[in-house]
Amino acid sequence: MDGYTLNAARTIREYESSIQRPKAERTINDSILSALLRGDELPEMDVKAIRQYGIQCSEYLDFGYDVDASLSGMLSPHAVLEPRPNTPYVFRRAGFDNLPFIYTQRHLRNAIAPKEADNHQHGLTIEQIKSLPEKLEEPVVVFDQPNYTVNGRSFEGKGVAAVLDMYDPDGVPVIAYFFPNGYGTKTNDNGCSNVIASLYGRDNFTSYLARAANEEKILYIDSEKYEQMEKELPRYGGTRFPPALAALSMDIIIPSSYICKMKAEINPKLSDREREHNSLNRTMHIKVADSRRRPRRRRPKKKPRQRKPKRRQPAAAAPRPPMLRASRAWRRSP
């Protein structure tokens, strides 16, 4: 067996250990690793799968290293984390541009702090955060955020959310909230990216998803993962998927109406095809950029005043000592 497959297997094993995946669910167990070390031949399909998954795990590990660096204070406080350098297929079909996903260090610390709803602390584990890049690859449910009411006034939901295959300490499925096509990159805040605004187990999970289903905002349901979570949820108490989800079509991706509306407001003259392929339309987090607004004029910078060099005054001459006149007697000849 070549060294490339062995290195890929070691990378997979390191990643699965970093997220504390149960041994029964691991891709590389002790028997497979021993066979690779001995040089035994594996089926061609297994070799291809190991190599492909090893490349993915290498990217997942990079995010895990950044999480450790952030929590240990080794990362710059102005830097952001990048769970994924690209956008998974499901989100691209829903209308996301193919951009990196970013996650701020402040949200990271809130996510792993002991759960306390008033302080936006969510009680997730570090291992769950490190598995975020892989969980985004296959979300369970994707939906536009439903409308909400505050003090009797109704507001339209903004952003897109996804139910992930993980649970918070109370057994509630974790939901990730996104602002698509926002600003921010791993190195600076001037690039474009899909912003992960929050990550936590939402209270009233069942009623929240029921509102999204009733408002026809469900974009995608993974049938296999949905059935798996339906079997697991009864172990955690009263949290269940609403019955309205079971009546919807599964494994079909619907474009996000929120993203379509957002891009239409930025440039209403674009056709549907141009909006779909135009990756220059961006929003800054929750605020929709208006291209018709006049840009702010920048004041020209004042040139620094040049000072004339001072002329150096010549140094005053030292006073000459008084000359003594010779006496008449001295001038006489002997």
Side-chain angles (χ1 to χ4, degrees):
M1 188 61 62
D2 60 335
Y4 185 81
T5 306
L6 180 60
N7 291 335
R10 286 173 172 169
T11 302
I12 295 171
R13 191 176 180 87
E14 181 183 357
Y15 167 69
E16 292 180 331
S17 300
S18 69
I19 63 173
Q20 294 185 358
R21 179 169 289 169
K23 291 187 177 181
E25 301 176 3
R26 295 193 178 187
T27 306
I28 303 298
N29 52 31
D30 295 337
S31 61
I32 295 178
L33 187 61
S34 300
L36 290 173
L37 290 173
R38 290 194 304 266
D40 297 345
E41 292 294 332
L42 296 178
E44 186 177 355
M45 292 185 62
D46 294 344
V47 172
K48 289 183 178 179
I50 290 173
R51 291 178 177 179
Q52 183 176 2
Y53 190 47
I55 295 173
Q56 295 175 345
C57 289
S58 178
E59 297 178 354
Y60 303 158
L61 281 171
D62 289 342
F63 174 67
Y65 298 151
D66 288 343
V67 170
D68 291 336
S70 173
L71 297 178
S72 61
M74 300 296 291
L75 200 64
S76 168
H78 305 289
V80 296
L81 305 174
E82 188 178 276
R84 292 193 60 88
N86 52 17
T87 301
Y89 172 77
V90 173
F91 293 100
R92 292 202 307 269
R93 288 293 304 273
F96 285 62
D97 288 341
N98 189 13
L99 301 170
F101 276 84
I102 65 167
Y103 190 52
T104 66
Q105 297 186 65
R106 178 174 63 86
H107 286 114
L108 167 65
R109 289 179 172 81
N110 288 342
I112 64 174
K115 188 171 182 179
E116 189 175 345
D118 296 338
N119 294 331
H120 301 284
Q121 298 175 358
H122 311 310
L124 301 180
T125 64
I126 298 177
E127 291 74 23
Q128 286 179 314
I129 299 297
K130 290 182 178 181
S131 67
L132 179 59
E134 188 174 16
K135 298 299 183 182
L136 291 173
E137 188 76 32
E138 297 179 350
V140 183
V141 183
V142 181
F143 58 98
D144 286 334
Q145 290 204 48
N147 302 333
Y148 58 96
T149 304
V150 178
N151 298 329
R153 297 179 58 188
S154 59
F155 297 89
E156 184 179 0
K158 295 183 178 180
V160 182
V163 179
L164 304 181
D165 186 14
M166 64 172 71
Y167 304 90
D168 75 349
D170 295 336
V172 182
V174 173
I175 299 179
Y177 298 86
F178 312 99
F179 290 126
N181 311 337
Y183 284 102
T185 62
K186 188 174 180 179
T187 54
N188 57 69
D189 294 333
N190 298 323
C192 301
S193 61
N194 296 314
V195 181
I196 303 176
S198 189
L199 185 73
Y200 64 95
R202 186 183 180 90
D203 296 334
N204 303 320
F205 172 82
T206 305
S207 60
Y208 181 68
L209 273 183
R211 283 193 288 127
N214 295 333
E215 296 173 10
E216 299 181 352
K217 293 192 173 184
I218 303 296
L219 308 178
Y220 170 75
I221 303 175
D222 187 319
S223 59
E224 183 179 351
K225 290 189 172 296
Y226 174 81
E227 293 175 1
Q228 179 184 353
M229 291 189 71
E230 272 282 273
K231 297 177 182 178
E232 295 177 352
L233 284 174
R235 294 183 303 173
Y236 299 105
T239 303
R240 298 293 297 270
F241 281 116
L245 288 185
L248 299 176
S249 300
M250 299 192 181
D251 300 322
I252 298 176
I253 306 173
I254 302 173
S256 167
S257 59
Y258 166 76
I259 297 178
C260 294
K261 182 180 179 181
M262 176 187 71
K263 292 184 177 182
E265 289 180 355
I266 293 175
N267 195 342
K269 295 182 179 181
L270 291 178
S271 63
D272 293 339
R273 183 176 180 82
E274 288 174 329
R275 290 194 197 103
E276 182 180 357
H277 294 281
N278 186 4
S279 61
L280 298 178
N281 296 337
R282 302 286 182 261
T283 58
M284 181 177 291
H285 297 286
I286 201 169
K287 297 181 180 179
V288 178
D290 187 358
S291 61
R292 293 166 292 182
R293 187 175 58 185
R294 296 180 61 185
R296 180 183 293 180
R297 295 181 179 178
R298 295 184 178 181
R299 295 181 179 179
K301 294 183 179 180
K302 294 183 178 180
K303 295 182 179 180
R305 186 177 178 181
Q306 297 181 354
R307 295 183 179 181
K308 295 181 179 180
K310 293 183 178 181
R311 294 182 178 179
R312 296 183 62 181
Q313 298 292 339
R320 290 184 178 182
M323 296 181 64
L324 298 176
R325 295 183 64 184
S327 61
R328 289 183 182 180
W330 194 261
R331 284 184 291 176
R332 292 177 183 173
S333 58

